[in-house]
Amino acid sequence: MKKIINDPAQYTDDMLKGIYRAHSDQVGYVNNDLRCYCTKKKVPGKVSIITGGGTGHLPLFLGYVGENLLDGCAVGSVFQSPSAEQIFEISKEVNNGGGILYLYGNYTGDIMNFDMAAEMCDLEDIKTASIVGADDVNSNADPVARRGVAGIFFMYKCAGAKAAQMGTLDEVLAAAQKAKDNTRTVGFALTPCVIPEVGHSNFTLGENEMAMGMGIHGEPGVWNGPIKTADELAAESLDTLLKDMPLASGDEVALLINGLGATSIEELYILSNSVSQQLEDKGISIYRTFVGEFATSMEMMGASISIMKVDRETKAMLDMPVSTPFYCQK
């Protein structure tokens, strides 16, 4: 294992200490718990949005806490869920009086702990609503059972924009739901990653082998086989995406090309070009393209492709400027 760390058991807390020292003007933590990550900017009456999940996916999840996006994030250890108590403490800290939306990935441990936190909030007369991202098409035929991956970025953007516009809790939830209903993702891995506390790869791929549909925690994909070209990956991914969410010529989408941690930005733009050309060939126009790292898996090499069908309302939400220590959009 080659990593710039101290004690593997302190990986998450050491990382958080570094973030707080570097960005103390924007974010902090509550009750002396580094894992209770919160914005320092509060807007009275605004709906607060809280997310959470395991370390290892930066900028997901905590990287989206900031202006016109999220208000807090419960941080778990690498690939592990945060606790209900941490979510509850964050809820009390960021509560602005407009209610709280819990927006997080569709994973069993997260669901259980966010539900417990919601019950604790009820006892404090803090109103909450919940929604999970579930955009990974290859993870399950049933949309309800799908994993939440990079497409949750679109949910963050739309919910954050509606909250910034002082929408009600129901309106913020509806904005997140609309983004969810219109978003799909396909991902693929070229290498495994190493979890610091484990010290070795979490799965194995051959020298010239890749995995289509691999999850961001190393969950099995739909096939392992020889590495394909960018054009081939784009074609297979779009075939999967468009079968699940049919789009017609003349429709408009937002496109997200996401690197999983060790893929160069040059390669992501090659993939983006392939996907864009093939969408254009189908008569589907791209309103806005996002290229970079939005939801990673430690140092895994690979990428994911997300598309969201857009209309006038969602385009305006995507265009809202945002600012966090990890992501800015003017």
Side-chain angles (χ1 to χ4, degrees):
M1 178 174 70
K2 293 183 178 180
K3 292 185 181 294
I4 303 172
I5 59 175
N6 295 310
D7 180 354
Q10 294 299 313
Y11 181 87
T12 297
D13 289 341
D14 283 350
M15 176 268 296
L16 287 168
K17 290 175 183 177
I19 292 172
Y20 293 132
R21 286 183 183 275
H23 306 291
S24 60
D25 59 326
Q26 298 179 67
V27 293
Y29 54 97
V30 296
N31 285 353
N32 294 316
D33 189 338
L34 295 170
R35 309 291 183 95
C36 295
Y37 186 97
C38 304
T39 182
K40 285 192 171 180
K41 182 178 181 180
K42 301 186 71 173
V43 180
K46 186 183 83 73
V47 172
S48 300
I49 306 172
I50 297 174
T51 193
T55 303
H57 304 303
L58 279 174
L60 197 68
F61 297 89
L62 61 84
Y64 298 109
V65 172
E67 185 177 2
N68 296 338
L69 278 172
L70 312 181
D71 299 273
C73 177
V75 184
S77 297
V78 177
F79 296 178
Q80 296 181 27
S81 300
S83 72
E85 291 75 15
Q86 289 165 336
I87 300 165
F88 176 56
E89 291 302 323
I90 294 168
S91 301
K92 291 189 293 182
E93 173 65 20
V94 304
N95 179 31
N96 294 312
I100 293 174
L101 178 65
Y102 290 153
L103 200 177
Y104 56 97
N106 192 22
Y107 298 93
T108 303
D110 294 335
I111 293 171
M112 179 180 67
N113 289 333
F114 272 95
D115 284 350
M116 289 175 60
E119 293 175 0
M120 296 162 77
C121 284
D122 285 342
L123 297 175
E124 298 285 333
D125 293 324
I126 300 173
K127 186 177 181 181
T128 65
S130 296
I131 186 170
V132 296
D135 52 303
D136 189 351
V137 176
N138 277 327
S139 63
N140 205 295
D142 180 3
V144 175
R146 288 175 179 166
R147 299 184 292 248
V149 287
I152 200 173
F153 169 78
F154 290 136
M155 296 175 69
Y156 287 161
K157 281 284 289 170
C158 291
K162 182 61 70 173
Q165 295 166 351
M166 302 305 289
T168 66
L169 180 57
D170 286 344
E171 289 171 336
V172 175
L173 174 61
Q177 185 68 56
K178 185 173 183 178
K180 175 180 178 177
D181 292 343
N182 288 284
T183 298
R184 304 290 189 277
T185 299
V186 166
F188 38 86
L190 279 68
T191 66
C193 64
V194 176
I195 299 173
E197 292 184 9
V198 176
H200 58 77
S201 301
N202 55 346
F203 59 91
T204 302
L205 286 173
E207 179 65 25
N208 296 307
E209 185 182 31
M210 64 170 291
M212 173 61 73
M214 175 69 67
I216 58 175
H217 305 106
E219 299 96 335
V222 293
W223 59 257
N224 287 16
I227 296 175
K228 296 188 175 185
T229 66
D231 285 344
E232 291 169 337
L233 290 169
E236 179 172 343
S237 298
L238 286 176
D239 182 63
T240 301
L241 291 167
L242 298 182
K243 283 180 179 177
D244 196 80
M245 186 178 67
L247 294 171
S249 178
D251 284 339
E252 198 167 12
V253 300
L255 173 64
L256 178 72
I257 304 295
N258 170 64
L260 294 180
T263 303
S264 71
I265 193 71
E266 290 90 345
E267 293 167 75
L268 295 180
Y269 275 105
I270 290 171
L271 178 62
S272 179
N273 181 62
S274 296
V275 175
S276 299
Q277 183 62 61
Q278 292 179 34
L279 283 171
E280 291 171 9
D281 290 345
K282 298 176 186 296
I284 299 167
S285 59
I286 300 171
Y287 174 69
R288 189 160 194 157
T289 301
F290 300 85
V291 179
E293 291 184 344
F294 296 85
T296 64
S297 182
M298 300 295 291
E299 76 280 21
M300 184 184 290
M301 184 176 290
S304 64
I305 301 166
S306 301
I307 56 174
M308 181 177 79
K309 185 178 179 180
V310 297
D311 59 16
R312 179 180 296 181
E313 180 185 34
T314 47
K315 287 192 285 189
M317 292 175 178
L318 290 179
D319 287 345
M320 177 169 280
V322 299
S323 178
T324 86
F326 293 82
Y327 181 72
C328 291
Q329 176 186 316
K330 297 182 179 180

